[in-house]
Amino acid sequence: MKITNITRKYLFLNGNREKIELEDIDPEMGHERIMEHYSALYPELTNANVMDKGIIDGFHEVHFQSLAGTKG
């Protein structure tokens, strides 16, 4: 049996619908802590949702969806 580590991939989807890939700074940190760390660089992350997309193309993909600019 082969054991494989799955790398996490973080994508920040800002209000302009741009996808910005963010580095996983510490695999021991939770998604919210990663988002909190990057909120110093991207203030929109302070009001973002975390969406765990599961395994996509061999990566554990997590999206940070900005709520800025949405109505409703």
Side-chain angles (χ1 to χ4, degrees):
M1 179 185 298
K2 182 179 178 183
I3 297 174
T4 305
N5 288 334
I6 297 178
T7 304
R8 298 187 297 185
K9 181 191 284 188
Y10 289 98
L11 293 174
F12 169 42
L13 308 173
N14 68 13
N16 297 328
R17 298 292 181 232
E18 296 173 301
K19 290 184 181 181
I20 301 168
E21 189 168 340
L22 305 172
E23 182 181 346
D24 184 2
I25 56 170
D26 183 354
E28 298 295 318
M29 292 174 76
H31 305 319
E32 289 80 14
R33 291 285 315 270
I34 298 285
M35 185 171 66
E36 182 181 313
H37 169 80
Y38 281 110
S39 68
L41 185 59
Y42 302 104
E44 300 96 333
L45 288 175
T46 58
N47 291 327
N49 287 330
V50 177
M51 298 183 304
D52 190 332
K53 296 296 190 173
I55 307 301
I56 299 175
D57 296 328
F59 293 96
H60 180 185
E61 196 164 298
V62 179
H63 293 185
F64 299 142
Q65 176 76 45
S66 174
L67 299 177
T70 60
K71 294 182 180 181

